[in-house]
Amino acid sequence: MKMFWGVFNQSMKRVALYEFDQKEEAEAKAADLSKSGKPPHFVQKVKETIEETIE
């Protein structure tokens, strides 16, 4: 499992995904989308399973 920051719209549709250490970029994207006349967007933690191949 790996943690990311997701940018979501009001319908809970993820519109962007950022690495966990890029929270400022995720918040800036949400603010930019919100002020462009669209419904409010927000940032939330997202856990995703990452598959790695071991050779």
Side-chain angles (χ1 to χ4, degrees), residues 1-8 12-24 26-27 30 41-49:
M1 296 294 279
K2 188 172 179 182
M3 188 73 75
F4 295 95
W5 290 108
V7 179
F8 294 86
M12 291 298 293
K13 180 180 177 190
R14 188 172 70 199
V15 295
L17 188 68
Y18 291 87
E19 292 289 330
F20 194 73
D21 63 349
Q22 297 176 323
K23 184 177 182 182
E24 292 84 18
E27 289 175 337
H41 289 71
F42 61 94
V43 176
Q44 183 174 329
K45 292 179 186 177
V46 177
K47 286 186 200 175
E48 298 223 349
T49 302

Side-chain angles (χ1 to χ4, degrees), residues 24-41:
E24 292 84 18
E25 290 88 345
E27 289 175 337
K29 176 74 170 180
D32 186 46
L33 289 171
S34 294
K35 71 179 177 183
S36 65
K38 297 181 181 179
H41 289 71

Side-chain angles (χ1 to χ4, degrees), residues 49-55:
T49 302
I50 305 298
E51 294 184 23
E52 295 181 13
T53 56
I54 300 174
E55 297 178 15

